[in-house]
Amino acid sequence: MPPAHLLIIGDRAALSWVITEQRMAFPAGRLKAARAMAEGEEVFLYTTRGCFRNPTRDLGRVVGRAAITSPVRVLDEPVVFNRRSFTEGCRLKVSGLAPFREGLVLRDLVPRLSVFPDPTTWSVRMRRASLTLPPADAELVRTELEPLLRPYGEAREGYRWEPAAA
């Protein structure tokens, strides 16, 4: 079975772009991890506590499931979110989304996920663009997430984020 990955998204405009464009972009400093992902592999979309700029209210959640549909490659034009440039990317096929601001609270699963050997410091491993999941961890996330998902076409509009006018 091919590996599965968490795609870690920490900005609401970036999340909107990922979901509506069905693409993922990676910053230059994360290219090794990005290039370890391959076409056909499964990804879970994870939003950080700070994604919506209110970490005291929001929780880190797995909000969607997708497959990588193209190789990770240099983008013709970098994508910029919050003054940060993303130079490589790939296409995704989103197969399901949780309703906006809902989804699987990852911290509740941390004690059962082997990718986090020390549950007290698990969030340190989330400070990256992606995290490869061992097969048993991917199966647990998949099983817990599946009942929360809606069809892409039904849920995607809830994730459309229009930036405030300057």
Side-chain angles (χ1 to χ4, degrees):
M1 179 169 222
H5 312 273
L6 279 178
L7 294 180
I8 302 163
I9 304 165
D11 178 80
R12 61 191 178 194
L15 174 65
S16 178
W17 181 84
V18 167
I19 290 174
T20 59
E21 296 293 321
Q22 295 196 73
R23 295 170 60 194
M24 182 63 185
F26 302 95
R30 305 290 187 201
L31 298 182
K32 184 177 179 185
R35 290 189 178 165
M37 292 189 282
E39 193 171 343
E41 292 179 346
E42 180 179 35
V43 293
F44 299 102
L45 306 175
Y46 172 80
T47 59
T48 66
R49 286 180 48 214
C51 186
F52 300 102
R53 300 187 182 150
N54 193 342
T56 58
R57 177 194 64 205
D58 294 314
L59 300 171
R61 298 176 186 271
V62 181
V63 299
R65 183 175 173 194
I68 299 171
T69 62
S70 73
V72 175
R73 63 168 185 80
V74 174
L75 299 174
D76 294 335
E77 197 168 314
V79 180
V80 178
F81 298 107
N82 206 17
R83 289 179 256 152
R84 190 169 177 203
S85 184
F86 296 77
T87 58
E88 295 210 16
C90 62
R91 296 214 169 271
L92 303 174
K93 174 70 173 162
V94 179
S95 58
L97 288 170
F100 185 65
R101 279 206 163 112
E102 294 182 29
L104 179 63
V105 177
L106 190 63
R107 76 170 182 210
D108 295 345
L109 288 184
V110 165
R112 298 167 50 198
L113 294 170
S114 67
V115 75
F116 303 115
D118 179 5
T120 60
T121 61
W122 74 276
S123 63
V124 171
R125 298 198 49 138
M126 302 301 284
R127 294 182 185 145
R128 58 187 77 204
S130 66
L131 179 66
T132 301
L133 297 174
D137 288 0
E139 183 59 32
L140 177 60
V141 170
R142 189 180 305 110
T143 299
E144 295 289 325
L145 179 64
E146 195 62 35
L148 307 175
L149 297 180
R150 304 290 176 265
Y152 172 75
E154 184 181 305
R156 79 169 171 243
E157 284 303 311
Y159 287 89
R160 190 173 300 278
W161 185 268
E162 299 298 331

